Amino acid sequence: MNAVLRAAWSAIVRRRVQTLVTAVVALLATATAVLGLGLLVASMGPFDRAFARLNGAHAAVSVDAAKATPEQIQAGAARAGSGITAFGGPYPSVSAVPEPVAGVGNGHVVPEAVTVVGRTSPDGPLDELKMVSGRWVRAPGEIVFADGQNGPTPEVGTRLRLGGVEMTVVGTAASVTGTAGAWALPDQVAAIHGADGSRTFQVLYRFAAADGNDAVAAGVAAVRAGLPADAVLGSTSYLEARRDAAGVADLVVPFVTAFSVLGLVMSVLIVANVVSGSVVAGYRGIGVLKTLGFSPVQVAATYLAQVLLPALFGAALGTVIGQLLALPLLADTAESFAVPEVASIPWWVDVAVPLGLIATVCVAALVPALKAGRTPAVQAIAVGRAPRSGRGFRAHRILSRAPLPRAVGLGLASPFTRPARTAMTLAALLLGTAAVTFAYGLAQTLDRVDAGLSRAANTQVTVDLLRPSGPPGQNQGPLGEGSGPVQNQRPPGVGGPGAGPGGKENLPSADPAAVAAMLRADSGTARFTEVAEARATIPGRTQGVELTGYGTDSSWLGYPILAGRWFQGPGEVVVPTSFLRGSALKVGDEIALEWEGRRTKVRIVGEAFSSEENHLYVDRGTLTALDPASRIEQYEVKLAPGTDIGAYIQRLAESQVFAAGFGGVMDRNESSETLAILLGLIATLTLLLAAVAALGVLNTVALDTRERAQSIGVLKSLGMTPRQTLVMVVTSVTAVGLIAGAIGIPLGVALHHAVAPVMAGVAELRLPDHMLSVYSVPSYAVLAVSGALLAALGALMPATWAAKTKAALWRTE
Amino acid sequence: MTDVIRLEAVTKQYDETGPAALSGVGLAVGAHEAVAVMGPSGSGKSTLLNLIAGLDRASSGDVTVAGVRLNGLSETALARFRRQHIGMVFQFFNLLDDLTVLDNVLMPARLGGMSLRTARTRSAELLDYLGIGRHADAYPARLSGGERQRVAIARALMNRPPLLLADEPTGAVDSATGRHITDLLAELNRDGQALLLVTHDERLAQECTGRIVRIVDGRIVGEEATTGRAAAAANGSGTAPAAASPEAAR
């Protein structure tokens, strides 16, 4: 081992607190950075690669064939200045509900409503399809289904009927953006339509700009502008598929990134503090090294090595921990369409993050290390031997006259002795407080989002009228999947010859009138409304939509309304934000709902805060007009104030109405698994950053205590008790912590206000004001103390050490 | 005369395998007596001082100071004991550089919870008595060695301790200043202040104290009476001006 490494190693062993702080800080900063950057890259990587390789389409637009010819569509796409860079189609398309062929499809899976697109080849200028099994269609009567989309994928060989045309599944294929549920030859699409079917074209587009929802919406608007009026029936954005591919990992990226940045900045501050503290404390050692023949560069290298070695160790361990933290989140990340690889953090993240951290540590340590190298030997020895005289005389003078216990006064004045060190500690604590504030706000917002989504404050109980299905397997009809009525559901009224008892439409139901009478009679019921469900298709959307029909007086249900209002009667629909974003529609627009040849137009009157994608809320009258066979499936109940929910549920469940095993009663206040994952991760990261801040304080106080050893010894010899010593040392940083709290809180709030909407955007949600304004006066007060608390926690160990050490030992320092 | 210090068979061993720093030491110092402890470096003088000040604990034997048996006291109780019963003067003054002269002197009183008004009155008397009143608002770094040692003495006397411990009080000052410090300590003793002095300075010991205890390798090897002013004072001659002395201020 050469002299530099030997000197550095001896310092590492001797200054155990600084070594530990450097290693742990590097570990925590690397772990959060690997997690943040890794998720950012890994969650989007597979999709983006597949999108590029398969020439994915930014938008799939549905055009009314009665209003625009293929020539007009091509001319519109070729318009100069439209921002359209490529297009595919027009392909004929149709929405249809597959039905199993009696006696043949038994045991085979048949999906729900699908959009069938007519293509002659899986290749094309856009949206190349990748065959997953079987082959592409060659003749009439053949169909290829999309793999893993829109419910179960039928196996090759399955026979089914679409719009009266009997077809055989010859293959399954994957579309990176899920432009269709199935593909057949173009002539077959016309056959499925039948003579009276409305004819539509699917046109795929790529735009010059498609970074976000607004850009895609602008592209669709350009398409619309290039076609005859009302020709565009609807559209689907690739961003929807991109988001689905990312799963929860996508959701955590914004706040993990924020935590990572905070962690990195804090680690820089703390490392700079560690090295400059070591230089100040080691002046005499520097002088001795120089007298032994160390060059200035060797001295600087010695100080750099003192932090680099523990930082390297911490960064290596932090990389592993970051990977481990990412595992459960990436496990949730769905495989992108047509991409066999599982999402994982790429290797370069494991290299780049630790290297970046080490480089940052080097930069932070360089200035004090060079200062050490430049200090002349004699001066270093002289400074090292001289009693430490710092600054802060005025602060000491003022505080000595303040009506405070003397130990408190001494502690409060202490930060002024080394202003630069105090400033760095203040900054670390400030960022720690900002992290705590940010985390608190995020947790509150998520809690309110959960409450808004569950609506548990407004509707506490759901009464199911349908008989619950049995355990998995028992209830599987010819649809063959799922175990519960919801999973197993087919659209009401489309049972068809193969529809067995597993279809929800065939489930026995309690008498709605009897249940309503029971609810009305119970004193615990404040209000209730019926719930019916149906499916529908919307021209231009590849996926169908779920319609939920409520009673007319249902505005009390508690759906937070972001724009517009709740529906007031038939002909009006309330939609979630995701629906508007995915279809480039807005409140006030009119859309067509179709089902089994029936079509009804509804106006979007409100944007609801809801995570139920493709779920539209309508008056039951609208639902009945579209699907006359729909029936009441549930009642949602708001309880009277003071009602014991458990007793209420028990009372209903034991009533005669449910005696035959029909339906059931559910407490709606269930916690979400995603929320639990997010809250767990936020808590973990907050703890990590709080620990980093506390370690920064620990380092500062340890350095201060060591430097002030003689003063503490003198004070002890003058009669300062251990408790007074503890108070003095802890107070020396708690005031800094309070100031950090005062500055860190606004920073944390600003971070929260920036990150929470981004997270909501990822989840296709838009946050109402009350979900963003989560900080109350009491919470500000508690958060303000958090800085001081972090400081006190960090100071406690060296303070206890100072308090417990015998006065005689201090005298020898 | 009641003893202010009573050590009985005191042994201090820092390392179980090493030699004892103090071995079977017995010592008694009267309430108004001045005693010098002398010996070569490493003989155990500072260890003896630490034990008497309650800064360290004896391995065996009894240490009783100002009527308080120190052996069983907790660290907190020892701190309170020091605050009430001990004043310490160090070779290198050990003033707190960040505090003014006045704040240094006030420190023991403020740690003990004395009101600021009372403490300031007391400190002003002490600073005037020691001739450094005009430096009350100065910082120690601006004072000469002698002035700093006077500040240290003022601080040591602040709580009216029955025992003043001085560790080489003239070791870091020039000879003229050393003489002034010597005179001051002798004067304090004449006014009744018990004094235990650890020093290498024979002249200081002779002039300030009435008795010299010699210690070698942790054992007391001899005691002798001095012939200096303190010895004369012990015999009833010489007093400090009553109005100016710290005793008068008590």
Side-chain angles (χ1 to χ4, degrees):
Chain A
M1 195 184 288
N2 69 29
V4 169
L5 279 180
R6 185 169 289 280
W9 182 252
S10 68
I12 285 170
V13 173
R14 196 172 66 251
R15 299 204 176 100
R16 285 187 293 273
V17 172
Q18 281 91 329
T19 301
L20 183 74
V21 168
T22 306
V24 175
V25 164
L27 184 155
L28 298 180
T30 312
T32 51
V34 165
L35 182 64
L37 184 63
L39 290 181
L40 186 66
V41 176
S43 63
M44 289 307 172
F47 181 89
D48 290 343
R49 283 196 297 277
F51 191 83
R53 200 173 66 233
L54 299 171
N55 291 321
H58 287 140
V61 176
S62 186
V63 179
D64 190 338
K67 294 185 175 166
T69 63
E71 291 73 24
Q72 285 175 311
I73 292 170
Q74 286 166 1
R79 269 185 326 129
S82 64
I84 299 166
T85 56
F87 78 101
Y91 306 114
S93 73
V94 62
S95 293
V97 179
E99 296 169 8
V101 174
V104 177
N106 195 21
H108 285 186
V109 170
V110 176
E112 299 172 3
V114 291
T115 295
V116 185
V117 170
R119 283 173 69 161
T120 53
S121 159
D123 302 327
L126 290 181
D127 192 32
E128 288 176 34
L129 305 175
K130 184 179 177 186
M131 294 307 298
V132 176
S133 64
R135 59 168 177 79
W136 187 249
V137 291
R138 291 175 190 153
E142 293 181 348
I143 190 166
V144 167
F145 267 83
D147 183 58
Q149 266 196 68
N150 202 28
T153 308
E155 291 174 15
V156 173
T158 302
R159 290 175 64 189
L160 41 78
R161 190 175 287 115
L162 278 160
V165 179
E166 200 171 306
M167 307 190 84
T168 303
V169 178
V170 295
T172 59
S175 159
V176 69
T177 49
T179 52
W183 296 272
L185 291 174
D187 291 347
Q188 284 294 287
V189 173
I192 295 168
H193 269 295
D196 56 343
S198 51
R199 296 169 58 80
T200 55
F201 287 121
Q202 181 188 73
V203 194
L204 307 174
Y205 292 96
R206 269 224 187 193
F207 304 123
D211 291 344
N213 289 312
D214 291 344
V216 174
V220 172
V223 169
R224 202 184 293 268
L227 294 173
D230 298 332
V232 172
L233 294 169
S235 61
T236 311
S237 164
Y238 81 108
L239 294 171
E240 223 171 316
R242 191 173 193 264
R243 182 168 54 81
D244 288 346
V248 176
D250 192 13
L251 201 59
V252 305
V253 164
F255 74 84
V256 172
T257 305
F259 275 115
S260 308
V261 172
L262 285 174
L264 279 175
V265 177
M266 284 166 78
S267 59
V268 167
L269 290 168
I270 290 166
V271 165
N273 225 1
V274 165
V275 182
S276 58
S278 301
V279 171
V280 170
Y283 266 124
R284 193 168 164 276
I286 292 167
V288 172
L289 287 179
K290 290 203 160 185
T291 57
L292 291 175
F294 271 60
S295 69
V297 172
Q298 284 176 313
V299 170
T302 303
Y303 275 87
L304 270 182
Q306 281 177 36
V307 288
L308 279 184
L309 291 176
L312 271 171
F313 176 76
L317 205 57
T319 304
V320 176
I321 290 174
Q323 283 272 9
L324 291 176
L325 280 174
L327 276 181
L329 296 165
L330 287 176
D332 181 76
T333 302
E335 282 185 30
S336 189
F337 298 121
V339 179
E341 63 194 279
V342 177
S344 63
I345 294 179
W347 65 269
W348 62 263
V349 171
D350 292 343
V351 176
V353 170
L355 281 182
L357 184 103
I358 294 300
T360 312
V361 165
C362 275
V363 171
L366 204 59
V367 174
L370 288 176
K371 183 183 169 190
R374 283 197 304 266
T375 308
V378 175
Q379 187 189 334
I381 291 174
V383 171
R385 277 185 179 159
R388 306 269 189 262
S389 62
R391 301 175 183 83
F393 294 127
R394 183 173 294 180
H396 273 291
R397 189 187 289 235
I398 291 168
L399 286 163
S400 70
R401 281 147 185 74
L404 293 167
R406 198 64 192 100
V408 174
L410 285 169
L412 290 176
S414 177
F416 296 94
T417 307
R418 291 216 175 270
R421 183 180 297 168
T422 300
M424 278 196 269
T425 310
L426 177 76
L429 277 173
L430 186 155
L431 294 177
T433 310
V436 172
T437 306
F438 170 54
Y440 167 82
L442 218 48
Q444 287 292 311
T445 294
L446 288 172
D447 208 41
R448 291 185 189 191
V449 165
D450 191 48
L453 293 176
S454 72
R455 298 179 288 113
N458 291 62
T459 58
Q460 294 81 27
V461 171
T462 297
V463 180
D464 263 321
L465 270 61
L466 306 185
R467 185 205 291 270
S469 55
Q474 283 187 5
N475 196 39
Q476 289 192 344
L479 301 183
E481 55 114 13
S483 60
V486 174
Q487 287 171 297
N488 222 4
Q489 132 183 21
R490 277 176 61 99
V494 294
K504 195 167 68 169
E505 68 281 4
N506 290 323
L507 290 175
S509 169
D511 176 13
V515 174
M518 178 183 68
L519 293 173
R520 209 170 284 118
D522 196 300
S523 61
T525 307
R527 328 179 66 152
F528 67 95
T529 186
E530 72 258 28
V531 184
E533 291 186 347
R535 286 185 60 85
T537 57
I538 297 175
R541 284 182 70 86
T542 53
Q543 285 182 291
V545 292
E546 300 272 355
L547 297 178
T548 301
Y550 288 113
T552 302
D553 178 21
S554 56
S555 58
W556 56 269
L557 280 167
Y559 284 98
I561 298 297
L562 297 161
R565 58 172 172 77
W566 190 248
F567 63 77
Q568 291 174 345
E572 296 183 343
V573 64
V574 173
V575 301
T577 305
S578 56
F579 178 84
L580 291 180
R581 287 183 176 168
S583 52
L585 290 165
K586 61 183 186 304
V587 173
D589 286 350
E590 203 171 61
I591 54 172
L593 300 172
E594 294 179 348
W595 193 251
E596 295 196 313
R598 285 179 290 275
R599 175 184 275 210
T600 183
K601 287 202 165 184
V602 289
R603 186 167 299 283
I604 301 171
V605 295
E607 177 189 356
F609 180 79
S610 170
S611 64
E612 294 176 310
E613 292 175 46
N614 297 322
H615 241 91
L616 312 185
Y617 309 103
V618 293
D619 181 272
R620 188 141 180 262
T622 306
L623 196 76
T624 309
L626 199 64
D627 183 359
S630 67
R631 56 181 178 163
I632 297 173
E633 296 175 14
Q634 292 178 333
Y635 283 102
E636 285 197 14
V637 183
K638 180 185 178 72
L639 297 184
T643 303
D644 179 344
I645 188 167
Y648 182 87
I649 287 172
Q650 184 77 17
R651 212 157 50 231
L652 292 193
E654 289 173 353
S655 77
Q656 286 299 313
V657 177
F658 296 110
F662 298 121
V665 190
M666 290 188 310
D667 184 346
R668 292 177 52 83
N669 198 7
E670 290 174 353
S671 57
S672 142
E673 192 186 339
T674 304
L675 178 72
I677 291 174
L678 293 179
L679 289 179
L681 191 62
I682 289 169
T684 306
L685 291 172
T686 309
L687 272 177
L688 291 181
L689 289 198
V692 170
L695 281 171
V697 174
L698 170 70
N699 169 62
T700 298
V701 178
L703 282 171
D704 277 347
T705 309
R706 185 156 188 81
E707 282 178 28
R708 295 172 59 207
Q710 195 192 23
S711 296
I712 293 173
V714 171
L715 289 167
K716 286 200 158 196
S717 70
L718 295 177
M720 181 174 264
T721 62
R723 183 185 294 256
Q724 285 174 316
T725 311
L726 187 86
V727 168
M728 179 182 71
V729 177
V730 171
T731 311
S732 69
V733 282
T734 44
V736 176
L738 279 174
I739 296 167
I743 308 170
I745 288 173
L747 189 67
V749 171
L751 199 58
H752 168 261
H753 283 16
V755 172
V758 174
M759 286 176 68
V762 169
E764 291 293 321
L765 292 171
R766 195 156 66 85
L767 295 178
D769 282 346
H770 81 276
M771 292 184 188
L772 208 53
S773 307
V774 293
Y775 298 97
S776 60
V777 173
S779 70
Y780 278 127
V782 173
L783 289 168
V785 179
S786 66
L789 199 65
L790 281 175
L793 279 173
L796 211 53
M797 198 172 84
T800 308
W801 173 59
K804 281 188 174 172
T805 306
K806 283 181 188 171
L809 294 181
W810 288 110
R811 280 194 67 215
T812 63
E813 290 281 350
Chain B
M1 185 166 63
T2 312
D3 291 336
V4 70
I5 298 172
R6 175 165 288 279
L7 270 58
E8 292 175 11
V10 170
T11 297
K12 175 65 185 179
Q13 196 147 10
Y14 291 107
D15 183 356
E16 282 182 12
T17 56
L22 287 178
S23 184
V25 170
L27 177 69
V29 177
H32 303 291
E33 196 182 358
V35 174
V37 178
M38 299 191 72
S41 293
S43 59
K45 304 189 296 295
S46 292
T47 300
L48 183 68
L49 204 68
N50 284 344
L51 295 183
I52 292 168
L55 294 172
D56 205 351
R57 295 169 191 279
S59 303
S60 64
D62 280 344
V63 179
T64 306
V65 179
V68 180
R69 187 167 177 269
L70 305 187
N71 298 53
L73 295 185
S74 66
E75 283 298 316
T76 301
L78 283 172
R80 292 199 179 112
F81 157 79
R82 282 194 294 277
R83 199 189 288 161
Q84 291 167 7
H85 299 293
I86 303 288
M88 290 192 79
V89 178
F90 304 94
Q91 178 178 2
F92 293 105
F93 327 124
N94 280 346
L95 297 176
L96 299 165
D97 295 325
D98 299 336
L99 304 185
T100 62
V101 164
L102 179 62
D103 288 331
N104 263 285
V105 175
L106 286 172
M107 184 59 72
R110 300 298 309 281
L111 285 174
M114 188 188 291
S115 77
L116 188 58
R117 181 188 295 264
T118 310
R120 286 175 78 104
T121 306
R122 166 74 177 158
S123 62
E125 289 168 357
L126 280 168
L127 290 173
D128 286 343
Y129 168 67
L130 292 165
I132 47 175
R134 65 184 185 285
H135 297 305
D137 290 328
Y139 286 93
R142 296 189 174 276
L143 303 183
S144 68
E147 287 167 335
R148 288 187 214 183
Q149 199 58 295
R150 283 165 186 267
V151 175
I153 292 169
R155 187 177 67 180
L157 295 174
M158 184 66 195
N159 283 348
R160 298 185 174 87
L163 177 61
L164 183 64
L165 302 175
D167 188 358
E168 299 283 7
T170 59
V173 294
D174 58 57
S175 56
T177 306
R179 274 197 294 280
H180 286 127
I181 299 295
T182 304
D183 290 346
L184 180 58
L185 292 174
E187 192 174 306
L188 286 169
N189 179 243
R190 279 199 298 275
D191 288 341
Q193 176 68 59
L195 177 65
L196 184 73
L197 193 66
V198 169
T199 184
H200 285 101
D201 186 344
E202 188 75 32
R203 200 178 66 83
L204 174 68
Q206 289 290 343
E207 292 193 5
C208 280
T209 67
R211 179 158 58 111
I212 295 174
V213 174
R214 297 201 184 270
I215 185 167
V216 175
D217 292 339
R219 294 174 186 279
I220 293 177
V221 294
E223 284 190 29
E224 63 203 69
T226 63
T227 54
R229 283 178 292 185
N235 292 329
S237 65
T239 54
S245 75
E247 272 308 303
R250 289 185 188 200

